[in-house]
Amino acid sequence: MDNFLLNFTEDSIQESNIQYHFFHHVCAQVGLLSGICLIVGTMIGSGIFISPKAVLLYSGAVGPCLLIWAACGVLSTLGALCYAELGTMITKSGGEYSYLMEAFGSLVAYLYSWTTVMVLKPSSFAIITLSFAEYASTPFYPGCTPPIVVTKCLSAAAILLIVGVNCLSVKLASYVQNFFTAAKLFIILVIVGAGIVMLAQGKTETLSNAFDGTPSSVGAIGLAFYNGLWAYDGWNQLNFITEELKDPFRNLPLAILIGIPLVSVCYVLVNVAYFTVMTTTELLLSPAVAVTFGDRVLYPLSWIVPLFVVFSTFGSANGSCFTAGRLAYVSGREGHMVKILSYISLKRYTPSPALIFNGVLSIFYIIPADINTLINYFSFAQWVFYGLTALSLIVMRFTRKELHRPVKVPIVIAGLMVLVSCYLVLAPIIDKPDLEYLYCTIFIFSGLLFYYPFIYRRVNWARKLMRPITMHLQLLMEVVPPEKTE
């Protein structure tokens, strides 16, 4: 049996040149339209249907709420422009991981991959599928909240289905993403159109007193931005699949410049539509803002709102899974995760071990999940790394001047992103120093316990232990290692 495993592995390694060539060239099948759909489809998930309550609560009034939604759109666009320069300068998949590796070296990149692969990506996947499950199960329990066990089982089923689709085919996953993106843009168009009709009928009571309310503290504004930016999260997703993009030098910046402003306009207009039919109190008390809007404006066709919200969250979850697998794949390829995560399917040419690993972790996260806690936990850690990535652009302007930059943004934009990131990380902690921020920080640096022996020192006993496990998993999943990039 051992000889068979070794022969299989040796044959696989001989084929790896073909697999690597295929994965980077034949699998480069994500075009401009699919790129835009990935950005728009991942950004527009459950956030615009849930976050309006949290943003309004922390901002204190309608006017500041709308300004924060617009500011989040501007901030996301500025951040994405920085990523456009980084993505066309370093054309590797993996998003922030590849840029932090280039600018700051192995340790910082490892801490990012450790935190993101183990917590941020799977918790984000879990949050989105929980939202999907809540909306999908609500019609079957009229007048009451769906049992938590039903919601979590449905969330787990969605995770398994999405992981299965992404393991089967890159092209199939792109088609699924394009379909659900079209569906969510349709429901947003319906909500915005209904809001315009209500405005034309003179429903402006809530908007006419837009700035009447209690002024918010600095920390509360930071939390309002957290929840608004959670709805915008996904603006960096295309950078995770740069190697699979057709003509990334053209399509990456174009998809960013088209996709993110489109989402920003949609979000602001949807919030205006909500305020045409609900007061601030009614919006805060609504269990599902979009559904309440549909019941009041679209009856007897109000059922289309929860249906398309289900489509929206499912599409967003698919996009999250699609990119999360690429990060685990790249970090495994660079030796920062177990080697099996860097292998690709012999038949399907997808990074199936990385996708399955992300899915398994996500299922564990839905067991004790509280959505609001997960959002705050997710946002705190994520903005630490957004700030470091913007800083990496500034650093490489001086340390890597020789790199070709097809897109070059003013350095002041990167500086602004660093400052905003510092504010979003520090303001809520100063205003309300909860223990969850400490736990998050401890977890990030706990990765050092694994970095020194297993990555820096590469202890022999760990490699001997993992070798048979890797070979058996390789046989089970029929995966092969791609050629190293070095």
Side-chain angles (χ1 to χ4, degrees), residues 136-340:
S137 57
T138 296
F140 298 98
Y141 297 89
C144 64
T145 304
I148 192 68
V149 66
V150 171
T151 302
K152 290 186 176 182
C153 286
L154 187 56
S155 175
I159 289 171
L160 293 174
L161 176 60
I162 291 167
V163 169
V165 167
N166 279 268
C167 287
L168 281 174
S169 167
V170 174
K171 193 168 282 187
L172 176 61
S174 294
Y175 287 155
V176 169
Q177 191 67 27
N178 294 353
F179 172 79
F180 284 105
T181 299
K184 64 185 67 182
L185 286 176
F186 171 76
I187 193 58
I188 283 179
L189 186 62
V190 169
I191 293 173
V192 170
I196 291 171
V197 171
M198 300 302 289
L199 282 174
Q201 293 175 354
K203 303 288 185 179
T204 59
E205 293 86 355
T206 304
L207 294 170
S208 60
N209 302 310
F211 289 90
D212 292 347
T214 305
S216 297
S217 67
V218 171
I221 292 294
L223 288 172
F225 269 98
Y226 263 12
N227 284 274
L229 289 166
W230 162 248
Y232 278 96
D233 193 67
W235 51 265
N236 61 330
Q237 296 300 289
L238 205 55
N239 292 71
F240 284 93
I241 62 162
T242 308
E243 294 170 16
E244 294 169 74
L245 268 179
K246 296 176 183 176
D247 191 7
F249 300 113
R250 170 184 176 271
N251 290 336
L252 178 63
L254 260 182
I256 285 170
L257 289 172
I258 294 170
I260 298 173
L262 174 63
V263 173
S264 304
V265 171
C266 288
Y267 278 6
V268 174
L269 291 179
V270 165
N271 275 275
V272 171
Y274 289 157
F275 288 123
T276 61
V277 296
M278 285 178 272
T279 65
T280 55
T281 303
E282 289 171 337
L283 190 142
L284 290 172
L285 293 176
S286 170
V289 179
V291 174
T292 302
F293 179 89
D295 289 339
R296 294 191 180 186
V297 178
L298 302 175
Y299 186 84
L301 297 177
S302 55
W303 55 268
I304 70 170
V305 174
L307 175 63
F308 277 86
V309 171
V310 168
F311 288 169
S312 178
T313 48
F314 189 88
S316 186
N318 180 72
S320 177
C321 176
F322 190 89
T323 56
R326 274 59 184 177
L327 174 60
Y329 161 80
V330 172
S331 56
R333 188 176 70 189
E334 299 291 338
H336 284 168
M337 288 287 161
V338 290
K339 195 172 184 63
I340 190 67

